[in-house]
Amino acid sequence: MVQFESEARDFLLKRRFRLRQQSGTAGVASVSHWFDTEAIPEPVGEEVRRELAEIDAALRRIEQGSVGTCLACGGPMGLQRMRAIPEARYCVGCSGQGLEGE
Ligand SMILES: [Zn+2]
């Protein structure tokens, strides 16, 4: 395994762990005392779920050995971009054209 692949994998696993912790326990005790009539569910849903899905997809791509390759142009993504955004699917040039949708 190339070094940046194992680095990216490590980073993703840690991030996934943190997100799961957040979505499981965050705010339950601190929020509920403001609303003692009814427990308000934490609004962690959409964004965290989306990021977890991104991370899972990135981990799958790492296992398949296709991480670090731009899905649009097939070119190399570059080590720096992989470190900054391990789940990125497009190189800087292609994501600059709005393919990433962010
Ligand atoms: Zn590209």
Side-chain angles (χ1 to χ4, degrees), residues 44-99:
V44 266
E46 212 38 52
E47 219 166 294
V48 171
R49 262 203 304 277
R50 217 189 101 199
E51 184 154 10
L52 282 171
E54 292 279 319
I55 289 170
D56 280 342
L59 285 168
R60 265 199 301 279
R61 286 200 303 278
I62 289 172
E63 274 162 31
Q64 291 161 4
S66 60
V67 79
T69 303
C70 173
L71 287 189
C73 69
M77 206 106 80
L79 180 54
Q80 251 185 350
R81 183 161 171 80
M82 287 308 300
R83 283 204 173 120
I85 319 171
E87 71 271 34
R89 275 165 287 193
Y90 304 105
C91 69
V92 179
C94 292
S95 74
Q97 293 164 32
L99 283 169

Side-chain angles (χ1 to χ4, degrees), residues 25-39:
T25 60
V28 173
S30 58
V31 171
S32 60
H33 80 272
W34 294 103
F35 309 97
D36 52 355
T37 53
E38 216 176 303

